[in-house]
Amino acid sequence: MDIHDAHKYLLRFLNEVSVQFQRVPGSAIFLRYVKASYQNDPVRSAVELFLLIFFVRYLLAPKYSTQKQNYVQLSDEEIDELVEDWTPEPLVAPQTAFEEAENEKHPVIIGPTGPKSKLTNGRTVTNLASYNFYNFLANEMLKEKAIQALRTYGVGPCGPPGFYGTQDVHVKTEADIAAFLGASACIIYAQAFSTISSVIPAFSKRGDIIVADKAINYAIRKGIQISRSTVRWFEHNDMEDLERVLKRITKEQAKKPLTRRFIVTEGVFENVGDIVDLPKIIELKLRYKFRLILDETWSFGVLGRSGRGVTEQQNVDATEVDFLIGSLAGPLCAGGGFCAGSDEIVEHQRISASAYTYSAALPAMLATTASESLDLLQSNPDVLVQLRENIKAMRAQLDPRSDWVICTSAAENPMMLLILKPEVVASKGLSVQEQDRLLQDIVDETIANGVLITRLKRMPPPLHATPKEASWQSHPALKVCITTGLSRKEIEKSGIIIRHAITKVMTRKK
């Protein structure tokens, strides 16, 4: 076949295709569209042709698996042998000899906790080891309200809040806390510890940035660990170091995709006892565009003219703090925790915070107790004044008069932390373990003299922590909790007993 015959054959073939195509319904419309499109916008026609070819090729492409089978195939016998040889790591470290001895000597209280508590050995001691700051545990009105709630609602809802666990008392408690703090909305959790450790991972994810104080408590550290966020630490309560970290992060992230950024700190630090510089942190978080997560577990109900926390004490509008987190189990003598903030922040937690969506709701009895305790604080502000007077009386007996210890807690903090003076530790060459033993001896000596105190339980280092993350550890300390359930004279007497016990143990010959 020469070129002329081939040309004639091609023309006949194209003519036949054209005839057959015109017999297809709608072919005329399609041809008019193509002609008009090519005349008006030939580039669009080329793009559409390319997409058509790509679509046809995609449909005709062979199927393939995205799961690359690059692992070694094992027989059932080999799998069983590996399982038998595998030994899981222990969930906790084994107890030391000191911890075993300490656990054997733990005092056990019989009956209700109060300013005067009875131990299993039959002795009645002055209890300065509980968070019963306002002696609400002895309030008959609170007891009666709790009993009424128990009879009305039962022991607990036995269901998560998002399913059928929410009751009218929960809604009331959330509204009461929001109104008390001056926040837009509030959400309550069934456990104080899991509140902050659920709020953080509900908002901060892998790739987001958290800037945290090195002295934050164990619950916050667990929340940060669960979030898998990038963590940057700043020196405890050092605002200059915080600004340095924020400035460096802002510079590093200038040309990177936008991420969520948080500053995480406490109102009153559980491991140190001092108070955050909130106005300065607010200034820095606004300047560098970070969100602030503030844990007020130990400041809510304690600081401020009416107990609203560090925001009231330092004249900061509560709405300037993005996340206000606190406990209902401490000064309010109830249970659970809360997070207050904007409506969007609260509603997001109702579907994304693990401790809220997967845990049973707070028992109605505890929710009622929390609301009634808030009412007592607002209607009887004298209890705050009395508590601060008792704090002053105890500090007067311990910090300035003792040659061995100093108090690291703020003046308004009813949870007094007493650490050995640096010069005492240096002169005696005391290790951390030796300090723990000495402080435990002091605790035992005070109990023998009728006053119950305890030690600060230092948190374990983070799992698989880097040397930088594990570099900060709290000092071994005595913990003395002040209460309004004791008179000033009883507080002073207890302070003298504690001071004498410290002196006796520290001057004891080895």
Side-chain angles (χ1 to χ4, degrees), residues 84-358:
E84 290 178 2
D85 294 340
W86 178 72
T87 302
E89 293 183 4
L91 295 177
V92 295
Q95 285 189 343
T96 63
F98 172 68
E99 290 171 339
E100 290 179 357
E102 180 189 6
N103 290 335
E104 290 177 359
K105 294 187 294 183
H106 271 165
V108 179
I109 295 175
I110 299 176
T113 301
K116 300 288 184 179
S117 299
K118 188 175 181 180
L119 304 181
T120 50
N121 60 11
R123 296 190 60 191
T124 299
V125 295
T126 299
N127 189 351
L128 297 179
S130 75
Y131 306 127
N132 184 26
F133 300 141
Y134 301 113
N135 198 24
F136 283 164
L137 290 177
N139 188 285
E140 293 300 326
M141 187 272 289
L142 286 180
K143 291 181 182 179
E144 188 60 33
K145 292 286 187 180
I147 292 172
Q148 291 177 9
L150 182 62
R151 289 173 176 167
T152 303
Y153 298 95
V155 176
C158 298
F163 190 24
Y164 54 83
T166 299
Q167 298 168 309
D168 56 346
V169 289
H170 298 126
V171 178
K172 180 180 183 302
T173 302
E174 290 176 348
D176 290 344
I177 297 172
F180 183 69
L181 291 172
S184 301
C186 176
I187 182 174
I188 58 174
Y189 289 75
Q191 189 187 29
F193 183 94
S194 62
T195 302
I196 183 70
S197 60
S198 294
V199 171
I200 292 175
F203 291 90
S204 185
K205 309 294 183 181
R206 189 191 298 271
D208 296 331
I209 298 174
I210 291 177
V211 179
D213 191 297
K214 286 187 175 181
I216 53 176
N217 61 52
Y218 190 60
I220 300 178
R221 289 179 181 269
K222 296 308 292 183
I224 292 175
Q225 180 185 0
I226 295 169
S227 72
R228 299 186 179 185
S229 302
T230 302
V231 187
R232 297 288 184 268
W233 302 94
F234 67 94
E235 296 299 327
H236 171 57
N237 241 355
D238 188 339
M239 296 300 103
E240 291 183 1
D241 191 52
L242 171 59
E243 184 171 10
R244 178 188 62 80
V245 174
L246 297 180
K247 190 180 297 184
R248 186 180 65 187
I249 291 174
T250 304
K251 185 177 180 180
E252 292 174 352
Q253 298 294 316
K255 297 182 180 180
K256 294 182 180 180
L258 186 64
T259 59
R260 287 165 291 200
R261 307 171 188 177
F262 301 89
I263 300 172
V264 181
T265 188
E266 293 183 76
V268 170
F269 288 88
E270 178 181 346
N271 297 311
V272 184
D274 55 354
I275 300 175
V276 69
D277 185 357
L278 189 57
K280 183 62 177 178
I281 287 188
I282 295 291
E283 175 191 336
L284 292 176
K285 77 113 177 175
L286 293 175
R287 182 188 305 168
Y288 294 99
K289 297 179 175 59
F290 277 68
R291 295 180 177 91
L292 175 59
I293 300 177
L294 180 65
D295 185 2
E296 289 219 65
T297 296
W298 302 108
S299 54
F300 176 72
V302 172
L303 298 185
R305 183 178 54 84
S306 57
R308 286 177 169 83
V310 70
T311 52
E312 182 181 45
Q313 188 222 26
Q314 300 186 8
N315 297 317
V316 174
D317 191 339
T319 57
E320 294 188 32
V321 180
D322 301 283
F323 302 82
L324 269 173
I325 298 164
S327 170
L328 304 175
L332 301 188
C333 295
F338 68 87
C339 177
S342 65
D343 294 330
E344 294 79 10
I345 284 176
V346 168
E347 292 306 316
H348 177 75
Q349 294 175 62
R350 298 194 190 278
I351 59 173
S352 61
S354 57
Y356 186 85
T357 55
Y358 300 116

Side-chain angles (χ1 to χ4, degrees), residues 353-413:
S354 57
Y356 186 85
T357 55
Y358 300 116
S359 297
L362 183 70
M365 176 181 66
L366 296 179
T368 300
T369 303
S371 290
E372 296 298 332
S373 297
L374 282 180
D375 289 340
L376 280 178
L377 274 182
Q378 296 179 80
S379 61
N380 187 21
D382 292 341
V383 294
L384 286 97
V385 177
Q386 183 184 353
L387 178 63
R388 286 160 191 165
E389 290 298 324
N390 284 357
I391 295 172
K392 290 179 182 178
M394 179 62 77
R395 291 181 74 101
Q397 295 299 325
L398 293 177
D399 196 349
R401 295 192 178 185
S402 176
D403 296 329
W404 307 99
V405 297
I406 57 173
C407 181
T408 60
S409 298
E412 295 182 20
N413 187 1

